[in-house]
Amino acid sequence: MDFVRPYAGVLVATFLAAVAAAVLDGFTFTLLIPFLRLLFGDVSGVVAEAPTAVEKFLTVVVGFALGTDRAAAVRNVVLLILVAVAVKNVAVYTAGSLGAHIQEGVARDMRAHLYAHIQRLGLGFFQRMKGGQLVSRMIADTEQACRIVSAALVSLVQNVILIAVYLAILFSLSWRLTLLTLVVAPAIAAVMRPIQLRIRKRLSKALHDRGEVTAIVSETIEGARLVKAHSAEAYERRRFGDAVENYSKGIVRAQRLAVLAHPVSETLGAGVVLLLVIFGISAGPSGVGMRPELFIPFIAIALRLVSPVKALTQFPMHAEVSLAASERVFQILDEAEDDVDPPGVRACPGLAGQIVFDGVWFAYEPGSWVLKGVDLTVRSGEVMAIVGPSGAGKSTLVDLLPRFIEPSRGQVLMDGVPLSVYGRRSLRRTMGIVSQHTVIFNDTVRANIAYGEQENATPQAVEAAARAANAHGFIEQLPQGYDTVLGERGMRLSGGERQRIAIARALLRDPPILILDEATSALDTEGERLVQQAIARLLENRTVLVIAHRLSTVARADQIVVLDGGSVLERGRHQDLLDAGGIYQRLHSLEMHG
């Protein structure tokens, strides 16, 4: 309801328009009574020996339009019918257009809220949730969830009012015949309820399958180079075909049940109408049927009643679709926001002395320790290299510094102050991170380098950062230079060029603390040489943590830490560790001599 509250005024106007449309629709049918009486030769149009409540109402409302001139009276009634129909349709249009405004507004707000919520979730959430599932819930499910507060809800209100108006008119014309219509209503609900529950269950499964389809498309587009390199097109087609087949089967199963609702409700409705015709013929107290001018409108309204009743029986099905989609959206919104700061956090002043990892333990899952009692000290202006076999916990260790994750035990301190005291945003602004997997956005070169610094990044500053990163040369060769759009994930650049864009991004921020996570492991020799030159400039006058598989890149580090199994097994300078003949010496020999 929080998403609907800003549109409360528009929603009320929508309901009023829907009510007006329903009332005018019923009023239009009552005008058939004077019209038929005039056709049957009664000049009075609405007066009868024993007038019904409807006839009394019409005498008050339209009696002024009826006189002794039968032709003029017919003309006036026809004009009243046309005016009533025209005004009714204006009300229908108003309700529909306002409903569309509410639906799109709520969908927009829900997407914005969902996106903002996702931004406040930690990295663990993104490791658990597929990107395609997120896209599906962000776009398709939010749209489906909002239909219940617009078209479906307006239709519900309008149909309820229509049924109420029609029943009021029918009761005033013949309460005996009207009671027949109420007998079948509970039967319709009893028959439809099990169908609706199964529809909801099957639609929820189908929505999940649709998310899987989106995930596969996203993965194969992102990994297009890998797919082609391994000639895996046929495999991916089969995988996609299986996912689409599962989704299609789920939708067909749900639609079969949905389609079943139509013939069931229509058959019951037709039965009601037939009963009305049979009993209406002999409904009079003396065995004589209703007067023709009353019986014909009664049958017309009864037939008209089938449509809103049928729509009303279908509303739960539409609601189940929306509720199934809403459940998927609120599964995300119910995730705890674990990347936000509590009130009272301090702004990080930067590093003056040292960073200390004090007895740090960490586990992604309870009992599965990735880090085990790590004690480390990184002094300001020092370059610390972290090496070790895959799975040793190197990336996990450096992820603690920008607070992407929090220690399970122990703490990380900056100048003696726990990092938890500082706000995440201000803490991260003191750091530059260059990783092996460089993210390039589908934007210009200038925007990619200035990412996060757009307000303060002048063209001169961007170019200076690019020059320092050895990127200015290849940027100038691009079709529009710094204004060239790099395409999705920067596919038009080589790995070394993407990495130099990332280094220029870090240089522009000019952070006092730098984290390099295997920044050169995927580059060729020439690309690595240019990147290493850029990194050498990046290291100047900064505190640096370097993760590297190639030990040759960390030989000049002030301190080398060897991690294995989540524990620090060795630390020291390059030559000292070689002389010690431990794990570092073994890793170095494997690299040098295989």
Side-chain angles (χ1 to χ4, degrees), residues 191-242:
V191 172
M192 297 304 299
R193 186 58 184 166
I195 298 175
Q196 292 154 6
L197 292 176
R198 293 182 67 186
I199 289 173
R200 181 175 182 178
K201 182 177 179 181
R202 291 184 178 181
L203 282 174
S204 181
K205 174 64 167 58
L207 290 172
H208 174 79
D209 292 339
R210 183 177 64 188
E212 290 298 309
V213 171
T214 308
I216 291 174
V217 172
S218 178
E219 290 170 356
T220 51
I221 290 175
E222 184 175 353
R225 186 185 299 271
L226 179 66
V227 172
K228 293 183 180 299
H230 288 266
S231 300
E233 291 90 347
Y235 167 76
E236 292 297 343
R237 283 196 298 271
R238 287 195 300 273
R239 193 162 72 104
F240 179 77
D242 291 342

Side-chain angles (χ1 to χ4, degrees), residues 18-97:
V19 170
V23 171
L24 286 169
D25 192 79
F27 176 68
T28 303
F29 278 101
T30 63
L31 290 176
L32 288 175
I33 295 175
F35 180 73
L36 291 172
R37 287 182 63 82
L38 289 167
L39 288 182
F40 292 148
D42 191 334
V43 178
S44 65
V46 294
V47 179
E49 294 180 0
T52 62
V54 173
E55 290 175 301
K56 292 177 181 179
F57 168 78
L58 290 174
T59 301
V60 174
V61 175
V62 301
F64 69 93
L66 305 175
T68 57
D69 187 351
R70 181 166 171 268
V74 170
R75 182 192 64 225
N76 292 338
V77 171
V78 170
L79 288 175
L80 284 172
I81 292 174
L82 290 176
V83 170
V85 170
V87 176
K88 180 202 77 170
N89 283 298
V90 169
V92 170
Y93 170 79
T94 302
S97 60

Side-chain angles (χ1 to χ4, degrees), residues 41 90 116 124 165 196 215 225 228 258 260 300 323 339 361 401 481 513 558 566:
V90 169
V165 170
Q196 292 154 6
R225 186 185 299 271
K228 293 183 180 299
L260 182 61
L323 289 173
D339 195 40
W361 291 69
L401 200 53
I513 302 170
D558 299 304

Side-chain angles (χ1 to χ4, degrees), residues 12 54 56 66 179 193 218 224 286-287 362 367 402 420 477 568:
V12 170
V54 173
K56 292 177 181 179
L66 305 175
L179 288 177
R193 186 58 184 166
S218 178
S286 60
F362 180 80
S420 58
Q477 302 302 316
V568 177

Side-chain angles (χ1 to χ4, degrees), residues 76-195:
N76 292 338
V77 171
V78 170
L79 288 175
L80 284 172
I81 292 174
L82 290 176
V83 170
V85 170
V87 176
K88 180 202 77 170
N89 283 298
V90 169
V92 170
Y93 170 79
T94 302
S97 60
L98 291 178
H101 171 73
I102 296 171
Q103 176 175 315
E104 291 309 311
V106 172
R108 178 198 61 216
D109 296 345
M110 185 178 287
R111 286 173 186 142
H113 184 78
L114 182 60
Y115 185 80
H117 180 76
I118 289 172
Q119 296 295 310
R120 294 189 288 268
L121 299 178
L123 294 181
F125 168 79
F126 297 97
Q127 293 168 352
R128 300 191 308 270
M129 177 66 68
K130 292 182 179 180
Q133 284 282 3
L134 273 179
V135 172
S136 178
R137 298 187 190 200
M138 178 78 69
I139 305 301
D141 289 346
T142 51
E143 179 179 351
Q144 192 67 57
C146 293
R147 289 182 180 175
I148 196 171
V149 299
S150 56
L153 191 56
V154 171
S155 175
L156 172 68
V157 171
Q158 188 167 346
N159 286 319
V160 168
I161 300 299
L162 272 175
I163 292 172
V165 170
Y166 288 162
L167 287 177
I169 297 172
L170 293 176
F171 266 112
S172 70
L173 294 177
S174 174
W175 62 268
R176 294 182 181 85
L177 293 183
T178 305
L179 288 177
L180 289 176
T181 63
L182 302 179
V183 174
V184 183
I188 295 176
V191 172
M192 297 304 299
R193 186 58 184 166
I195 298 175

